[in-house]
Amino acid sequence: MSPLWTSAEIATATGASASTDFECNGVAFDSREIGSGDLFFAMKGEQADGHRFVAQAFASGASGAVVSAPVDGPHVLVPDTMRALEQLGMASRQRVDGKIIGVTGSAGKTGTKEALFAALDRFAPERVHRSVKSYNNHVGVPLSLSRMPRETEFGVFEMGMNHTGELAALTQFVRPHVAIVTTIAPAHIEHFGSEDRIADAKAEIFEGLEPGGVAIIPADSPHFARLRRHAEKFASRIVSFGFSESADVRCIDHLASANGGSLITAKLPGAMLQYELSQPGDHWVANSLAVLAAVQAVGTDLAVAGLALADMRGLKGRGARHRIAVQGGDALLIDESYNANPASMAATLKGLGDADVDRRVSVLGSMKELGDQSAKFHVGLRESIEAAKVDYLLLVGEEMAPLAEALAGDVAWTGKFAHCASVADATERVCNEVRGGDAILIKGSNSVGLSAVVEALLGGGD
């Protein structure tokens, strides 16, 4: 295979010159992630200047660096390394002839991106590229683009935002042939003030659509008409997905499968598909419909996509399920520790309620960036918690105080919940509480740090 980049190509993309000839097969801006043959971008951030780590990057095997000050070793000297990363990402996008899919949404975008990758990779092995982790911001998107091999047939890119205009900029880098909005929910609402404005901001993804592009939008969303109006300005075709009878890609029927996921019958334009989905929950059924809509839009095999959806494993922090050894037997651990907003909390709590277990235990961390509506949204979780028949509840974070106060005033919750002083407190409590036959849901915004609770529980199992 040809190298990912040559020094001449990097220099051309950035309008600079290389100190010497070199080739690279990977790109990174974190010196700790550098491997043999990688290109290191020395980025200047708020906390650190990447130029301090150039020597470390070369020691780890970097074949070259992009810098804004001369260094020892092969490099391309540019005025601004952030701008150079954007330029390299745009050059990567320009040289790829494959189909590109962009994914955004208030929840479900990482899972949908991973499911899309699995479906397309099953069809075209080793010819599909996607953004890794949650590299979905102004740095992560150009980085992910710059890592895309020139031979790529399908590219899948996640795009996030927490301010108006962010997606408008990112979508111009990605220039998708297909743009998906998974759902609209009050994530980052403190920056927008209303869900309508969040919908407007998410709809910016359509602005970068290539000619003939397809917009895929959630039929069940109360913001469907708003999203459709935005999409009509830029898309040649609009495809809706969901449970609604009006959806173009519609779930006709679904029921729980033996592996804990769902058996689904879906109707698509000109096709019907029955498939098994390994991930549990109605929200994942909806995500899978968006995946099928995109698969059909880029002209690949729906049956192959169905096989991939059956084989998908849960993502760390985003629904991964583990059997752990505890006192009295084993228990089901549901790891949703990476992110949380009101919609995703409701969806995962419903999944907990649907689990066939003896008891339901939940550790819920604060939902961040909800602004002056935070108390309302946290108290509002009570309905979903009670509908899920949670037997023991631990709340973590100061934003959970209003919910804790509401529960404290109800005798039915006496002895069944606690508002923990810290993650360490929650960890100790849940480790002492769980027993065989339990299902334990761990969910909260990433900054709360509930991944530590997951790691502590995994210490007792695989």
Side-chain angles (χ1 to χ4, degrees), residues 112-311:
T112 300
K113 173 206 65 178
E114 291 296 324
L116 255 174
F117 173 78
L120 295 170
D121 188 62
R122 189 80 164 238
F123 177 80
E126 299 183 2
R127 290 175 287 165
V128 185
H129 175 76
R130 95 296 206 176
S131 48
V132 298
K133 301 180 181 178
S134 290
Y135 284 175
N136 62 20
N137 63 6
H138 67 288
V139 178
V141 168
L143 175 68
S144 297
L145 283 166
S146 72
R147 291 172 166 177
M148 181 165 55
R150 66 190 80 221
E151 302 89 356
T152 296
E153 290 190 23
F154 301 100
V156 187
F157 295 91
E158 177 182 341
M159 289 178 268
M161 61 88 207
N162 58 20
H163 289 87
T164 299
E166 284 185 89
L167 269 176
L170 295 179
T171 194
Q172 297 301 329
F173 293 135
V174 175
R175 290 173 27 230
H177 298 94
V178 179
I180 301 171
V181 176
T182 58
T183 189
I184 302 298
H188 311 300
I189 199 168
E190 70 174 337
H191 303 302
F192 294 96
S194 72
E195 282 194 26
D196 283 349
R197 291 183 179 178
I198 293 173
D200 292 338
K202 293 295 185 185
E204 291 172 8
I205 192 174
F206 305 133
E207 297 176 18
L209 276 169
E210 289 284 85
V214 179
I216 298 175
I217 58 178
D220 304 313
S221 171
H223 306 283
F224 171 77
R226 196 177 196 93
L227 291 170
R228 186 177 184 88
R229 285 195 299 272
H230 283 288
E232 286 170 343
K233 301 173 188 176
F234 306 99
S236 293
R237 186 158 59 95
I238 300 171
V239 179
S240 60
F241 68 92
F243 298 89
S244 169
E245 290 189 3
S246 64
D248 299 308
V249 178
R250 177 162 65 100
C251 176
I252 301 295
D253 186 37
H254 72 289
L255 52 94
S257 64
N259 70 354
S262 298
L263 296 170
I264 304 165
T265 301
K267 182 179 180 181
L268 298 91
M272 291 280 290
L273 182 69
Q274 291 183 322
Y275 62 101
E276 185 171 3
L277 175 65
S278 61
Q279 307 302 306
D282 290 355
H283 59 301
W284 257 108
V285 174
N287 291 346
S288 74
L289 297 171
V291 168
L292 295 180
V295 165
Q296 189 175 60
V298 297
T300 57
D301 194 307
L302 289 170
V304 170
L307 293 174
L309 291 171
D311 290 342

Side-chain angles (χ1 to χ4, degrees), residues 8-61:
E9 289 171 333
I10 299 166
T12 298
T14 59
S17 59
S19 64
T20 188
D21 290 340
F22 63 88
E23 296 179 348
C24 66
N25 291 306
V27 182
F29 59 77
D30 186 335
S31 60
R32 295 167 296 184
E33 295 182 357
I34 288 290
S36 178
D38 284 351
L39 175 69
F40 175 62
F41 268 83
M43 309 285 282
K44 291 185 176 180
E46 294 181 2
Q47 304 297 324
D49 183 348
H51 291 80
R52 293 169 45 202
F53 304 98
V54 171
Q56 179 181 330
F58 280 126
S60 297

Side-chain angles (χ1 to χ4, degrees), residues 98-109:
K99 295 292 186 180
I100 305 299
I101 303 170
V103 183
T104 194
S106 299
K109 53 185 176 291

